[in-house]
Amino acid sequence: QGAVAAIKTFLKNVKPSDNVGLSFFDKQIAPLDQENRDQIVQSLEKNVPRGATPLQKAIFHGVDVLYDQSKRQKGCGDYFLVVVSDGESSDGDVLPACEYALRKRIPIVAIGLCFRNSSALTQAKYATYTSAASVAQLEKALLEVAAEVEVED
C-alpha cells in the first residue's frame, strides 16, 4: 500500500500535459495519456503484482511502448522508462533489455530494493538507479523523477 501512495504522490507532481502510462511487466494497464491518472490509481489499487518479477520482458515492453510513442510524435518530447521493483529479474539477465533501451534512446530510471550491484539496472551506462529501502525513499525517488522531467522541458 505504501508503494501505491508513493506513486499517487508522483502522479500529482507530474505536469498534466505529460503522458504517463502504467504497465505491470509486459501487460499495459493504462496506455500513455495525459488524462489517465485516475485509471492508473485504480489499477494500482486493484492489481498489485506479487510473485515473479519478469523485468527483462517488462523493460523490452516499456521501451517498445515509449519508442512507438516517440515515432508518433516525430521524436518530439522526452521519454523515460521508470522501473520500480522490489526484486531481481525472474526471467533472466536484464542486460539485453537495457542494451535495447540504449539503442532505442529510451533512458531508464530504476528505483529498487534488492538489486544486485552487478545488475545492469544499477550501472550508470544503462540506467539511473536509486535504492529505495522504504516507502519514504520510494516517494523521494519518484519525486526526483518528476522534477527531472520538469528540468528536461
Side-chain angles (χ1 to χ4, degrees):
Q1 291 297 14
V4 172
I7 293 171
K8 284 181 184 178
T9 300
F10 166 76
L11 291 171
K12 289 178 187 172
N13 284 277
V14 174
K15 291 187 310 186
S17 60
D18 289 337
N19 287 315
V20 178
L22 175 68
S23 292
F24 287 143
F25 305 114
D26 64 338
K27 181 180 177 194
Q28 191 167 18
I29 305 297
L32 289 172
D33 198 352
Q34 297 171 350
E35 299 178 9
N36 62 354
R37 295 347 186 226
D38 290 339
Q39 179 186 0
I40 290 173
V41 169
Q42 290 169 2
S43 295
L44 284 169
E45 290 172 344
K46 287 190 283 187
N47 298 305
V48 176
R50 301 202 191 292
T53 308
L55 287 178
Q56 185 187 92
K57 188 185 287 188
I59 293 168
F60 276 117
H61 168 76
V63 169
D64 285 341
V65 168
L66 292 171
Y67 184 74
D68 290 347
Q69 181 71 21
S70 171
K71 287 192 315 191
R72 281 192 294 278
Q73 291 182 203
K74 299 184 182 357
C76 293
D78 297 304
Y79 303 88
F80 298 88
L81 176 61
V82 181
V83 176
V84 178
S85 181
D86 65 352
E88 291 294 328
S89 178
S90 63
D91 65 344
D93 190 349
V94 296
L95 181 60
C98 292
E99 290 173 336
Y100 181 69
L102 198 58
R103 285 192 307 275
K104 296 288 188 175
R105 302 176 153 249
I106 302 293
I108 298 173
V109 177
I111 303 168
L113 171 69
C114 303
F115 285 152
R116 295 185 320 265
N117 286 338
S118 61
S119 170
L121 289 172
T122 65
Q123 297 174 21
K125 177 179 179 180
Y126 300 110
T128 302
Y129 175 71
T130 303
S131 178
S134 69
V135 173
Q137 289 176 343
L138 173 59
E139 187 170 305
K140 180 178 184 272
L142 286 169
L143 289 174
E144 288 172 0
V145 171
E148 178 69 20
V149 172
E150 284 289 321
V151 170
E152 293 288 326
D153 286 345

